[in-house]
Amino acid sequence: MPPGFVLDEENVTLPFNPIATNGEPFPWLEMSLPTYARPMRYMVTIHPNLTTLDVKGQVTIELFIEKETSFIVLHIQDLNVTEKAIVTSGNKGYAIKIIKVLEYPPRQQLYIEVKEKLKKKSNYTLNLRWYSKLNPEPDGFYVDQYENQNGLERLLAATVFRSNGARKAFPCFDEPHIRAPFRISVFRDRFHIGLSNSIVHTTEDVGFYMGTGLLRDDFIETPPLPADAVAWVVSDFQRKSLQPSQAYLPTTPAPPVNTAKSGKLNNYTQQREKKPPVRNITALTHSLNMNMLIKNVTTTAIIPTENPNSKNLTSMSQSAGSLIKRAPSYTFYAPLELLTRCSFILNTSRDVLEYLQTWLDISYPLTKVDFVALPSLDRYIISSLGLVTLKTSFLNEPESITSEQYHNSALRIAEAMVRQFFGGITSRKVLKDVWLWEGLIKYLGMHTLMPLQPNLPLKDFYLLDMATAALDIDAIQGWDSIMNGTNHDGNNEEFFLQKTAAIFSMLHTSIGEDRFRGCLGAFLKINRFKTAEPTDLWTICTKKANGSKNIKEMMTLWTHQPGFPLLIVTKVGNSVSISQKPFKPAEFLAIHDETYDGNNYKKGTVVTDISSTVATPTTTPTGKPKTHMKWIFPVTYITDLNNVSETLWMQNIDVTFNVPENVRWIKVNAMQSGYYRVLYNDDNWAKLVEDLSKNPEKFTSQDRIGLLSDAFTLCHANLLPCEVTMGMIQYLPSETNWGPMALAMRHLEKWRRILKYSECFLMLSEFIKMKLSTVIQKIGWGDDGSEAIRLMRPEVLLASVLWEDIDSITKSKNMLNQFLYYNGSAISPNLREVVYTGAILSGEYIYWQHCWERFVTLQRTSESFVERMQLLRALGRTKDAWLQNRLLSRVTMLPTVEVVQVLQAIAGTPTGGAMACRFLQAKWFELESRLGQGTTGFAKVISAITQYGATKFDYDELKSLVHRFGRGSGMGILNMTLSSVAANVEWVARSQTSLYKWIESNLHIH
């Protein structure tokens, strides 16, 4: 690890003596709850008052006592308990005297001690009543507001539970491994509707309260759920409904009303009733799976439309021989004026959920899925079983957002539906295992959407946003394994989820499509409404592989061992040898050289000896080296003569095999399904580059992404001469797909920031502008063409503007000028950032001022996040130091994510790097006070300014900031930034002279 790397350690040796709120010692010392009291059923009654914002609640918990005890411990947070009772079971049950009730807020635990011991293997009932206030922030049970079509402010109440967050809404056993059925009852007035995970069983008139007639919605019992998976909403929203597809409609008749008496609620489906119930509109819509018009209620029905790009679910169901004959209905709840925007969400959700039913051979357990738009939600989507809440700003018309936003929206919806199965039907046993569920959801969201939306380049999206993104981050030394690096509270770096998704892609390749979905289906069936661990899934996969592959050993290695393999591929004649070693960049020398002046660096040379890339064994805290085992994984490859991939397995030994004599090159990691980098011998690289230049279509889009990604990353790690990478990007004017072009543009943008002070920068800039101008001539400045072109165009145009191509800057300025002053065409969302940035880089003040005023206007709404970010980045890219300083003077009061955008943009300009650093030094205490000492937010601000440093001075400056930062959750981010800057310094020292010479020789070669 580089010098200055600070370990984040905690002192856990101090004694723990918790004190309750009344000053008494709190008897229970463990973080987790006792295991001998288990909830068998919850009955939760909630009465929110949207006038006073008060909440009254009651919970009845049926308990099973595993062993004799005199106390119960459960979770509670910010709730005031007014009544409590523990009652024995049976017809002659009696109340047991409670002798002590203690609360310990730091762990949100409630301790209840009884005089008479609770007997083992016995049932008891715990009753608690409480009152609280609706939270003004979206956390727990909170109050939200919106403006209706008449301009009036309206209130609603909804739950937003993070992991272990249910305790903020009701007393419960709030741990992930504890699942139990829930019966929810919600009080509301006659002008509101109540929603929860399940459908309404009955709606009772309960009289008047504060002059308002009250109703109580009793929802049918849910399947066993963890407490933080329960949800409810009270609002006056209108609704729009969508029925199941034609594959299911004929087999979803309205159920007969059963009036037989029964005290038991039937899980998951319809409800037996003592009398014909008084149902609200929610119950009628969902229990009958029919759209019905009710007086005084606005209802909009969606007419099912055929999507020519979607897979036919009816034929798929029939061809698969599926026995699943039922599917849920889908209803969206929102203010009336927003309902027109929900069709895309409803149709995509239906397609994905019904596809998943057939693909997994698992029937969805409920008869409905509700969607609710919440204005103040701090995440795009929260998916609880049967009830999905979305941020209102997520509802956009397709023509008002960029193509990339549209695709990301589809992926988020798909992930929300996957979460209904992996999270709803089966969930993690401990919070630490969230990485498995989140990574699998990310991968399956993409995988299930691919056959439904074949025109979307979803495989390319997956590679850019997950697989190659994770590999690039993992290449920075210091990252731990998934098992050791993920947090016990479930709040993990995005990197670990991306890496998990990539490992699932490799598992998919390892066992094949049929076995992969068979494993996931079996996993859900075996653990239906239970909790599970990663090893449960690995065991099933090993069994499904029929013993031919030890999948459990393979996945254990990938999740317990840090880093990833570098495959060394050597082709000599018709013989190919493949070996694996842990990926490690070349040794950092430049950061130790006191005479290094930022120009030429003589001490180090480019690593051409492949054997020198062997990683040094890492050490444990005791100083003993860790044993690094070789990864087990499938390796796929193609050749110039055979584009159908072949597969072989890497295990403990190197692999050698023969290919036909006339094979010119081999390309390993076909379709980029593996999580590894590939380093070829010189001759193979040369022939790959040659054929890529002659005929790019000889390689799939995914293989071109893989070649470019390997070339850029290996070059930056000083494992591959930069001449190979430069030779490879020569083909870019012939590229027609978004994925490879976007990957190249993003790596070149990194080069632009790192090399901006180097001697080769001006020549490199001319070379890149020449290549991009050829592409721009083909794609133009419109917003038309295929989906690939509409995605690729903004990537290319923005790159051209950032590399300061004068024609692109002039075109951008003219487009904004026409729009502002000559009633020109509105700028399309895909080109907004290009036009804003180009106009500002023209140097004319009026365009900077227009963008600033536009940003201030958009700040007042929550529905323009993407455009706000585009504006901030454009404002920060000005070359005018006075304007940069003006922007910095206003940045400290912005949200952290916006501060990061501004500082990254300013630091990326030739004049702004030093200014951003001075700003950080001057505002250190102000930022630290606002963001918190040692926090992740503060670390992200520091990293935004320093991450593209490329001189020894930059490295030393960051090292001093790391020491000044102090310990905290953000230390990991700064350590990674320190490693990144060390790698930048080394790469510039070793490569800038070679880059200069290569460009000088090839600049004018066409």
Side-chain angles (χ1 to χ4, degrees):
M1 62 183 68
F5 193 102
V6 178
L7 294 175
D8 187 17
E9 299 170 346
E10 293 182 5
N11 186 344
V12 294
T13 60
L14 296 177
F16 179 58
N17 299 306
I19 302 299
T21 52
N22 65 354
E24 291 186 34
F26 192 78
W28 185 251
L29 304 182
E30 302 295 327
M31 281 286 292
S32 56
L33 300 180
T35 58
Y36 40 78
R38 181 159 49 92
M40 305 302 293
R41 176 176 286 104
Y42 289 86
M43 285 160 278
V44 182
T45 301
I46 293 289
H47 180 190
N49 188 315
L50 291 178
T51 303
T52 65
L53 306 186
D54 293 325
V55 180
K56 294 180 180 179
Q58 176 178 325
V59 62
T60 299
I61 309 176
E62 297 177 9
L63 296 172
F64 180 75
I65 304 300
E66 293 280 359
K67 71 174 185 178
E68 188 176 78
T69 182
S70 60
F71 65 91
I72 294 170
V73 184
L74 66 160
H75 289 114
I76 190 170
Q77 184 175 357
D78 300 329
L79 306 177
N80 301 290
V81 176
T82 56
E83 299 179 34
K84 52 266 180 189
I86 297 180
V87 181
T88 61
S89 62
N91 295 330
K92 297 182 179 180
Y94 60 90
I96 299 175
K97 185 176 181 180
I98 296 175
I99 59 175
K100 187 180 290 186
V101 178
L102 301 173
E103 185 176 351
Y104 182 58
R107 287 185 174 173
Q108 304 100 43
Q109 290 177 345
L110 183 68
Y111 174 91
I112 302 174
E113 187 174 334
V114 293
K115 184 176 182 180
E116 176 186 325
K117 283 195 173 183
L118 306 179
K119 298 177 181 179
K120 69 176 182 179
K121 306 298 181 183
S122 298
N123 294 311
Y124 293 86
T125 301
L126 171 64
N127 292 291
L128 297 171
R129 287 189 178 182
W130 75 92
Y131 70 89
S132 62
K133 283 283 188 180
L134 287 168
N135 192 348
E137 301 298 326
D139 191 14
F141 192 23
Y142 88 108
V143 61
D144 210 337
Q145 66 178 27
Y146 73 97
E147 189 177 284
N148 68 10
Q149 56 187 344
N150 297 321
L152 300 176
E153 292 291 336
R154 305 292 296 170
L155 298 181
L156 63 108
T159 55
V160 174
F161 295 156
R162 290 168 175 78
S163 297
N164 294 347
R167 63 192 71 177
K168 296 181 180 180
F170 64 99
C172 56
F173 293 79
D174 197 10
E175 293 184 347
H177 66 280
I178 302 175
R179 295 179 70 122
F182 282 80
R183 298 181 190 175
I184 305 295
S185 295
V186 177
F187 284 83
R188 61 177 177 84
D189 66 34
R190 297 177 183 275
F191 305 102
H192 287 102
I193 57 171
L195 300 170
S196 188
N197 304 80
S198 56
I199 64 173
V200 171
H201 161 43
T202 59
T203 297
E204 299 289 346
D205 192 329
V206 292
F208 285 81
Y209 177 76
M210 296 180 65
T212 302
L214 281 183
L215 302 174
R216 187 189 70 237
D217 289 333
D218 297 325
F219 296 87
I220 73 165
E221 187 173 279
T222 70
L225 299 174
D228 58 14
V230 180
W232 59 82
V233 178
V234 177
S235 74
D236 63 353
F237 285 162
Q238 307 302 320
R239 80 180 194 281
K240 192 171 188 175
S241 297
L242 178 67
Q243 289 305 300
S245 67
Q246 294 298 319
Y248 299 98
L249 276 175
T251 58
T252 315
V257 176
N258 187 340
T259 57
K261 293 184 178 181
S262 173
K264 184 177 180 182
L265 299 180
N266 185 350
N267 278 348
Y268 334 139
T269 52
Q270 303 304 320
Q271 169 67 48
R272 293 182 180 179
E273 297 148 15
K274 297 179 181 179
K275 59 182 180 179
V278 180
R279 296 190 176 189
N280 70 0
I281 188 64
T282 310
L284 285 171
T285 302
H286 295 316
S287 64
L288 300 181
N289 276 327
M290 296 174 65
N291 287 325
M292 302 185 69
L293 295 175
I294 306 297
K295 292 181 180 180
N296 301 322
V297 179
T298 303
T299 305
T300 308
I302 296 176
I303 301 173
T305 56
E306 292 296 326
N307 184 346
N309 298 323
S310 296
K311 180 168 283 192
N312 187 310
L313 287 168
T314 307
S315 61
M316 185 181 71
S317 177
Q318 292 170 349
S319 64
S322 174
L323 298 177
I324 298 171
K325 303 299 182 184
R326 182 169 59 86
S329 59
Y330 310 81
T331 305
F332 204 102
Y333 293 86
L336 182 61
E337 62 274 15
L338 293 180
L339 288 181
T340 56
R341 305 183 191 177
C342 71
S343 297
F344 171 69
I345 294 172
L346 287 175
N347 282 284
T348 303
S349 298
R350 182 183 69 176
D351 290 348
V352 172
L353 191 145
E354 293 183 359
Y355 177 85
L356 274 170
Q357 281 200 144
T358 303
W359 191 75
L360 294 167
D361 195 27
I362 295 286
S363 181
Y364 184 69
L366 303 179
T367 57
K368 62 93 178 178
V369 182
D370 288 337
F371 301 83
V372 185
L374 300 178
S376 301
L377 197 63
D378 57 352
R379 285 165 284 176
Y380 283 112
I381 301 181
I382 299 176
S383 182
S384 301
L385 187 68
L387 183 60
V388 179
T389 52
L390 309 92
K391 189 177 179 66
T392 300
S393 59
F394 187 70
L395 301 174
N396 292 296
E397 298 289 355
E399 61 272 11
S400 69
I401 58 177
T402 67
S403 297
E404 191 169 353
Q405 276 181 274
Y406 177 84
H407 297 153
N408 284 330
S409 297
L411 279 171
R412 287 193 178 102
I413 296 166
E415 288 170 10
M417 292 301 99
V418 174
R419 201 180 301 274
Q420 295 286 302
F421 291 84
F422 294 94
I425 294 178
T426 301
S427 58
R428 67 272 188 271
K429 187 169 289 185
V430 294
L431 276 178
K432 183 174 174 57
D433 289 342
V434 163
W435 61 266
L436 177 86
W437 269 257
E438 295 298 323
L440 178 58
I441 287 165
K442 276 183 172 293
Y443 178 68
L444 288 184
M446 179 275 302
H447 183 71
T448 56
L449 200 58
M450 282 176 62
L452 302 172
Q453 300 284 353
N455 286 346
L456 302 186
L458 291 168
K459 183 68 173 177
D460 288 8
F461 262 95
Y462 157 74
L463 290 176
L464 263 68
D465 292 345
M466 284 184 254
T468 61
L471 281 165
D472 286 342
I473 295 171
D474 217 357
I476 302 169
Q477 300 302 287
W479 288 99
D480 213 329
S481 67
I482 291 174
M483 287 302 298
N484 292 333
T486 49
N487 296 322
H488 287 278
D489 62 4
N491 295 318
N492 297 313
E493 293 285 344
E494 183 71 11
F495 156 71
F496 290 112
L497 310 184
Q498 294 170 334
K499 183 172 182 178
T500 303
I503 291 172
F504 269 111
S505 174
M506 196 157 50
L507 172 63
H508 194 168
T509 302
S510 302
I511 61 179
E513 171 75 8
D514 290 342
R515 286 177 178 171
F516 182 66
R517 68 173 182 163
C519 290
L520 296 179
F523 179 69
L524 289 175
K525 290 172 184 174
I526 292 170
N527 300 289
R528 182 177 173 84
F529 302 126
K530 298 177 185 176
T531 57
E533 298 176 301
T535 52
D536 297 329
L537 180 55
W538 310 152
T539 300
I540 291 172
C541 291
T542 300
K543 291 179 180 177
K544 289 284 184 181
N546 296 328
S548 60
K549 306 176 185 73
N550 191 341
I551 301 300
K552 186 174 182 179
E553 182 184 357
M554 166 185 159
M555 299 305 288
T556 300
L557 271 174
W558 278 98
T559 55
H560 285 72
Q561 191 161 259
F564 61 91
L566 173 67
L567 291 194
I568 314 300
V569 179
T570 305
K571 179 184 177 297
V572 179
N574 69 330
S575 175
V576 179
S577 64
I578 304 178
S579 61
Q580 61 161 302
K581 295 166 183 169
F583 180 93
K584 184 184 178 184
E587 184 182 358
F588 296 152
L589 301 174
I591 56 174
H592 302 293
D593 182 7
E594 297 297 334
T595 64
Y596 173 60
D597 62 1
N599 294 314
N600 296 324
Y601 188 70
K602 305 289 187 184
K603 289 188 178 179
T605 57
V606 176
V607 177
T608 54
D609 178 10
I610 291 177
S611 64
S612 67
T613 64
V614 182
T616 341
T618 55
T619 59
T620 64
T622 60
K624 295 180 181 179
K626 291 181 181 178
T627 303
H628 203 292
M629 300 182 66
K630 291 191 175 183
W631 287 275
I632 302 172
F633 57 100
V635 173
T636 56
Y637 68 90
I638 57 172
T639 68
D640 58 310
L641 299 182
N642 181 14
N643 59 6
V644 177
S645 66
E646 303 283 345
T647 303
L648 52 88
W649 278 78
M650 293 296 295
Q651 299 196 52
N652 295 324
I653 58 174
D654 298 344
V655 175
T656 301
F657 59 97
N658 292 328
V659 294
E661 288 285 353
N662 52 347
V663 166
R664 299 180 65 250
W665 51 257
I666 181 173
K667 195 277 175 186
V668 174
N669 201 4
M671 298 297 291
Q672 298 306 116
S673 59
Y675 189 76
Y676 50 85
R677 293 287 182 197
V678 185
L679 182 60
Y680 304 98
N681 58 321
D682 291 346
D683 183 63
N684 200 75
W685 274 119
K687 288 173 179 173
L688 282 169
V689 169
E690 181 184 348
D691 275 20
L692 186 63
S693 298
K694 288 180 179 178
N695 181 16
E697 295 302 319
K698 195 164 190 174
F699 304 86
T700 66
S701 175
Q702 292 76 43
D703 284 325
R704 298 199 297 275
I705 289 174
L707 287 170
L708 287 164
S709 182
D710 283 345
F712 274 107
T713 301
L714 293 171
C715 175
H716 194 261
N718 296 300
L719 303 178
L720 181 70
C722 60
E723 292 88 346
V724 175
T725 308
M726 293 300 296
M728 186 165 291
I729 64 175
Q730 288 269 47
Y731 97 95
L732 285 177
S734 303
E735 182 58 72
T736 58
N737 280 61
W738 167 78
M741 183 66 77
L743 183 132
M745 294 302 101
R746 294 172 192 183
H747 275 285
L748 289 173
E749 170 61 10
K750 181 179 177 181
W751 281 21
R752 185 186 71 83
R753 290 167 172 264
I754 293 173
L755 294 168
K756 60 181 180 286
Y757 302 124
S758 72
E759 64 179 20
C760 67
F761 181 76
L762 289 179
M763 292 190 70
L764 176 63
S765 177
E766 288 303 311
F767 175 78
I768 299 300
K769 286 187 285 188
M770 284 179 57
K771 294 298 176 186
L772 293 180
S773 64
T774 305
V775 182
I776 293 171
Q777 289 175 9
K778 297 177 182 178
I779 62 177
W781 281 77
D783 191 28
D784 53 359
S786 66
E787 199 65 23
I789 295 297
R790 294 184 72 237
L791 279 164
M792 186 172 76
R793 184 180 288 115
E795 297 275 358
V796 173
L797 296 179
L798 182 60
S800 180
V801 164
L802 290 174
W803 284 96
E804 297 188 40
D805 177 71
I806 190 63
D807 292 336
S808 295
I809 289 174
T810 302
K811 178 67 174 179
S812 300
K813 182 187 74 171
N814 291 340
M815 288 178 70
L816 186 56
N817 191 62
Q818 286 288 325
F819 172 68
L820 292 178
Y821 304 112
Y822 297 99
N823 199 27
S825 302
I827 300 165
S828 73
N830 280 330
L831 298 182
R832 273 196 302 239
E833 185 168 6
V834 176
V835 171
Y836 292 153
T837 301
I840 285 174
L841 285 175
S842 72
E844 296 186 31
Y845 171 76
I846 55 172
Y847 301 119
W848 194 97
Q849 185 61 29
H850 164 74
C851 289
W852 174 254
E853 291 171 357
R854 174 70 175 161
F855 171 75
V856 172
T857 301
L858 293 179
Q859 265 190 311
R860 304 188 188 103
T861 71
S862 61
E863 301 185 15
S864 53
F865 176 79
V866 171
E867 188 176 357
R868 289 205 317 274
M869 297 302 102
Q870 291 172 337
L871 286 163
L872 285 174
R873 288 192 292 268
L875 289 164
R877 288 165 178 156
T878 178
K879 293 186 289 184
D880 189 311
W882 182 83
L883 288 176
Q884 287 180 332
N885 191 57
R886 178 184 168 190
L887 184 60
L888 285 172
S889 68
R890 307 185 186 194
V891 80
T892 53
M893 298 312 296
L894 295 175
T896 304
V897 65
E898 297 183 2
V899 174
V900 168
Q901 295 292 323
V902 170
L903 295 178
Q904 277 183 341
I906 291 177
T909 64
T911 58
M915 182 181 293
C917 286
R918 288 197 301 270
F919 165 82
L920 178 62
Q921 297 283 4
K923 298 290 184 180
W924 182 278
F925 294 110
E926 183 180 342
L927 290 167
E928 188 177 57
S929 174
R930 182 182 160 218
L931 301 173
Q933 184 177 15
T935 60
T936 300
F938 192 22
K940 287 180 178 177
V941 168
I942 298 171
S943 180
I945 296 172
T946 59
Q947 65 182 314
Y948 294 108
T951 66
K952 186 174 184 302
F953 176 83
D954 296 330
Y955 178 81
D956 292 339
E957 184 79 4
L958 175 57
K959 191 162 63 172
S960 69
L961 293 177
V962 171
H963 287 293
R964 184 180 180 184
F965 181 77
R967 299 192 183 280
S969 58
M971 184 54 70
I973 292 174
L974 290 189
N975 280 331
M976 295 305 108
T977 306
L978 196 66
S979 291
S980 294
V981 173
N984 295 345
V985 175
E986 191 67 29
W987 180 67
V988 172
R990 295 185 185 229
S991 299
Q992 63 175 335
T993 302
S994 299
L995 276 172
Y996 186 95
K997 291 179 179 178
W998 188 93
I999 297 169
E1000 190 176 40
S1001 301
N1002 292 272
L1003 182 61
H1004 299 293
I1005 296 177
H1006 296 285

